[in-house]
Amino acid sequence: MTSTTIGTPAALEGLALNPAAPVDLLLRLLGPPYEAVWSALCRWRRELPPEVVDAIVAHPAPRARGALARNPHVPGEVRGRLVDDEHWLVRGLLASGPGYEVWPRYLPDHVTDRMLTTYNGEELQGLFASRQVPYSTSLAHATHPVAEIRVHGAEMWSALTEERRAALLADPDPDVRAAAARTRARRAEEDDAAEMERRLRAMPTNRSHARNHILVNCRLSRAVVDELLKEREDDDLWCLAHNYSTPPDVVAHVARVGDPEARREVARRKDLPRDLVDLLARDPDPGVRTAVSVRPELTEDERAAVDYVVEPHEVAQVGQDPYRAPLALARSAHPLLRRRVAYNPELPAELVALLAADEDPGVRIILAQHHPEAPAELLLRCYLEYGGRNRDRLLGLPRFPVAELGARFGTAEDPAVRLLATLDPEADPVLVDALTRDPDARVRAGAARNPALPLTRLLQLLEDEELSKEAAANPGLPRETMYGLLDLSPDCP
């Protein structure tokens, strides 16, 4: 190996990701000279040995600890070790989670509880928006044994039963009672049409978040409703279609004269009378008919009578929490309803097997992306069938099958399918060598990481400007070469 490879940022970043890298070497990479690779090591490495986790948690640099806080691959229990970090940045990153490009693992309840009792408002806003707390857990906060957490439970007011609301208002803790009273008062104000009209009159006429909040979510007076009908700005009919307080005659009017978006919103209303359900079931817009077809009051025969249209990979609307879709919908004839169930990561094995064999590709894809026990053959099938968002995420799932992919897909015409061959650790070394020269950059990179790559070619790629990172991440890289990247001897203390 020439000295041009030793210490290059790309090679060191790949080394930080190498699943075969020795623990002592990873610990060295946490030192100040290698700050450039901390993100790769702490945030993107899939498996972190316990000793490395301990070192990151105790690391003096908030940047390293914050990177671990956002790692999408490690369990929430590991990230949760940073819950009491001394630096606001680390706490904030833990609260905001890995981001929306990945489906984060839930944080343990004890970590969430600690956040709710120690974090400031800004940090908690990040937590509530991060999808790291199950909806069912948020609901349970209203009956939590810790009063400080019941205060937050009061924020779930609209989803709580009357019995739970009454219990919060009569809670033995004065702070809980006060929080419940404030929430009730705020909701009462929002349900006061005269007060909402007064606030609207005091606002500028141009749209703002506050104005839209009232028009969409709060009770509207008849005068405001009539003005919206008269002035007819672009979104006014949609607001009326969505708002729970819109008078029935106006809902019927919007169902007949609104644009397709407004009519679709009418079709989703919980209080829609049967005559409007029947009217919208015959709507010329397929999206409106489809929205009607999933209404809970319809029988299976009535759904089948609606001429709905389901896009192959359309995302089903599941609301705030996938657990809320009744499991019985897994046997519905309507694919969108089965898709809602497929989001649930805790489906029993019987329903996983049922939905894995579903005739609808959307059901299969959603199940593959969200259930930890999705069958291996389903993951491969979905990758081959699906070309949409988060397709590549399937490749990183622990159950994704890699055996014999080289022989099956090494010469496929589609580069996204040839990429599968690079995942096979026992692929033909001649094939892997050839794939490092593939016309597609992703295939070349995948082949450079494959442990079946002949050593001679692997060492050549360490000198390659494009592929040195991937070559350094290859678990087949000799131990002495790994240390050589740091200009160290494998026998160094």
Side-chain angles (χ1 to χ4, degrees):
M1 187 192 317
T2 67
S3 60
T4 58
T5 303
I6 295 175
T8 60
L12 293 179
E13 188 172 347
L15 187 61
L17 297 171
N18 193 314
V23 169
D24 65 309
L25 190 149
L26 296 177
L27 293 174
R28 283 182 177 273
L29 289 176
L30 288 173
Y34 307 110
E35 182 177 357
V37 305
W38 288 350
S39 178
L41 174 58
C42 303
R43 183 176 182 189
W44 297 114
R45 186 179 171 86
R46 290 185 172 274
E47 295 183 5
L48 288 168
E51 303 94 324
V52 177
V53 172
D54 291 343
I56 298 173
V57 171
H59 201 284
R63 178 182 172 187
R65 304 195 305 274
L68 175 63
R70 301 195 68 197
N71 190 314
H73 306 298
V74 301
E77 191 75 45
V78 171
R79 293 187 297 112
R81 291 181 58 182
L82 296 163
V83 67
D84 290 320
D85 196 275
E86 63 183 9
H87 200 284
W88 63 268
L89 175 62
V90 178
R91 298 193 303 272
L93 291 174
L94 177 64
S96 61
Y100 281 88
E101 294 304 313
V102 294
W103 194 269
R105 301 187 185 188
Y106 292 137
L107 291 171
D109 287 351
H110 72 88
V111 173
T112 302
D113 289 353
R114 183 66 177 167
M115 289 178 165
L116 293 176
T117 55
T118 62
Y119 280 23
N120 63 38
E122 184 175 352
E123 292 165 345
L124 288 179
Q125 284 301 313
L127 174 66
F128 297 144
S130 71
R131 303 176 301 159
Q132 297 183 98
V133 184
Y135 185 80
S136 54
T137 298
S138 296
L139 279 180
H141 288 159
T143 56
H144 198 281
V146 177
E148 206 169 346
I149 296 176
R150 294 200 301 277
V151 167
H152 293 282
E155 290 297 323
M156 300 294 291
W157 192 262
S158 60
L160 300 178
T161 64
E162 289 297 333
E163 181 181 9
R164 287 198 175 185
R165 293 178 184 177
L168 289 172
L169 290 167
D171 196 276
D173 188 276
D175 291 337
V176 177
R177 294 197 303 272
R182 286 194 303 271
T183 304
R184 181 179 64 173
R186 184 171 68 250
R187 299 298 165 83
E189 286 180 352
E190 293 179 343
D191 198 44
D192 184 338
E195 173 61 19
M196 292 301 101
E197 180 178 350
R198 185 192 67 78
R199 293 187 186 183
L200 284 171
R201 304 294 186 208
M203 292 180 182
T205 55
N206 58 304
R207 287 296 172 89
S208 64
H209 177 75
R211 185 176 183 83
N212 285 340
H213 171 72
I214 293 176
L215 295 178
V216 172
N217 300 306
C218 304
R219 183 172 292 279
L220 304 178
S221 68
R222 186 69 200 214
V224 170
V225 170
D226 289 342
E227 287 178 14
L228 292 176
L229 288 173
K230 181 180 178 180
E231 296 176 4
R232 289 286 298 275
E233 294 186 18
D234 290 343
D235 295 331
D236 286 345
L237 290 189
W238 187 93
C239 291
L240 291 172
H242 177 88
N243 193 292
Y244 74 97
S245 69
T246 302
D249 63 304
V250 176
V251 172
H253 177 71
V254 176
R256 290 177 170 84
V257 307
D259 62 17
E261 287 293 330
R263 300 200 306 276
R264 288 172 204 167
E265 198 60 26
V266 171
R268 298 184 183 107
R269 291 183 67 94
K270 293 181 180 180
D271 59 352
L272 200 62
R274 186 58 194 234
D275 63 321
L276 290 184
V277 171
D278 294 339
L279 171 69
L280 296 174
R282 303 186 300 272
D283 194 277
D285 180 77
V288 176
R289 299 194 303 271
T290 301
V292 170
S293 71
V294 296
R295 292 189 62 82
E297 70 267 31
L298 296 186
T299 65
E300 286 292 300
D301 289 341
E302 288 171 335
R303 295 188 205 287
V306 179
D307 183 20
Y308 60 81
V309 177
V310 177
E311 297 297 330
H313 305 135
E314 181 179 345
V315 177
Q317 291 190 351
V318 296
Q320 293 174 287
D321 184 60
Y323 297 89
R324 301 172 72 188
L327 297 187
L329 295 180
R331 304 182 189 280
S332 170
H334 199 304
L336 282 186
L337 294 180
R338 301 198 303 277
R339 291 181 190 186
R340 291 182 181 181
V341 180
Y343 275 100
N344 190 332
E346 294 188 357
L347 287 177
E350 175 190 5
L351 292 186
V352 171
L354 176 69
L355 296 178
D358 198 282
E359 63 181 14
D360 176 65
V363 172
R364 299 194 301 269
I365 290 162
I366 292 170
L367 181 73
Q369 290 184 338
H370 294 92
H371 201 287
E373 299 300 321
E377 59 272 18
L378 174 68
L379 302 182
L380 177 58
R381 178 184 181 183
C382 287
Y383 181 84
L384 293 172
E385 294 178 339
Y386 177 56
R389 185 184 180 195
N390 290 333
R391 181 190 191 186
D392 288 349
R393 184 171 170 242
L394 294 168
L395 302 179
L397 296 177
R399 294 171 65 89
F400 194 91
V402 297
E404 301 181 359
L405 294 184
R408 293 177 63 184
F409 303 114
T411 59
E413 182 177 351
D414 183 353
V417 178
R418 283 200 308 279
L419 180 65
L420 292 173
T422 70
L423 302 178
D424 183 355
E426 298 183 2
D428 182 352
V430 175
L431 170 67
V432 179
D433 188 312
L435 291 177
T436 63
R437 300 172 174 86
D438 193 272
D440 184 83
R442 295 178 68 218
V443 175
R444 295 195 299 272
R449 291 190 296 267
N450 191 301
L453 183 64
L455 179 59
T456 301
R457 178 61 175 159
L458 176 56
L459 295 179
Q460 288 176 353
L461 293 182
L462 281 176
E463 307 289 344
D464 185 284
E465 183 177 350
E466 177 196 13
L467 295 175
S468 62
K469 174 182 174 180
E470 283 69 29
N474 192 316
L477 198 66
R479 187 170 182 269
E480 59 270 18
T481 305
M482 293 185 188
Y483 281 90
L485 291 172
L486 292 172
D487 199 18
L488 297 171
S489 165
D491 301 321
C492 68

